[in-house]
Amino acid sequence: MAGSHRFHIDQDGHSITVQLNGSRNAVEVLVDGKVVAYRKGLGRDTSGLTAELPGDPPQPFRILLAPEAGAHGAPFCVMESAGTRYLMPLVPLGRPHRGAQHGPSPTRLIRRRLRRLMRRRARHR
């Protein structure tokens, strides 16, 4: 389970996230942004972590991590709650926000280069 991966699912009005950190060989389970389970030193077999969803009464659930590589080389992550299993989808790490630009647009670069060229020509006259 090398590399870092994040899985996320919304269940029963709660946000459940599983984060794997391959460099530290650790897994943490977050419910509504709060760490509710942590495990260090995952083995080569299927690993499981148990936690509870807040409420009255609290609802226990279990996270199963299978080492078989799935999409993008990530392990499979399954949430088991009340006898039902839900496959947790992989979420890309560092996903850019919608509308975020990665550097200037090509049109802006062309305009900038044209301005520089015009300034150079004006200096040499």
Side-chain angles (χ1 to χ4, degrees):
M1 285 193 243
S4 296
H5 305 286
R6 181 181 302 149
F7 301 92
H8 180 81
I9 192 169
D10 291 322
Q11 186 70 25
D12 298 329
H14 297 283
S15 172
I16 301 166
T17 304
V18 177
Q19 295 186 65
L20 301 173
N21 189 334
S23 62
R24 291 187 301 191
N25 195 20
V27 179
E28 57 184 15
V29 179
L30 293 91
V31 174
D32 298 330
K34 297 178 184 174
V35 177
V36 294
Y38 179 83
R39 185 171 183 183
K40 190 169 175 113
L42 293 172
R44 295 184 186 267
D45 298 329
T46 301
S47 300
L49 290 114
T50 57
E52 292 180 340
L53 291 175
D56 192 25
Q59 297 174 328
F61 69 93
R62 189 167 73 161
I63 298 294
L64 300 170
L65 294 165
E68 294 88 21
H72 308 290
F76 286 107
C77 185
V78 176
M79 176 188 156
E80 189 177 73
S81 175
T84 306
R85 290 185 175 181
Y86 304 94
L87 181 63
M88 295 184 70
L90 180 67
V91 178
L93 294 172
R95 180 174 52 183
H97 299 289
R98 284 189 176 172
Q101 288 188 355
H102 301 287
S105 68
T107 306
R108 185 173 284 175
L109 287 173
I110 291 170
R111 287 181 186 164
R112 188 182 301 163
R113 288 181 183 157
L114 282 173
R115 269 186 265 145
R116 287 181 187 161
L117 180 63
M118 297 304 281
R119 285 185 204 141
R120 286 181 187 165
R121 285 189 179 175
R123 277 189 242 149
H124 292 292
R125 287 186 177 186

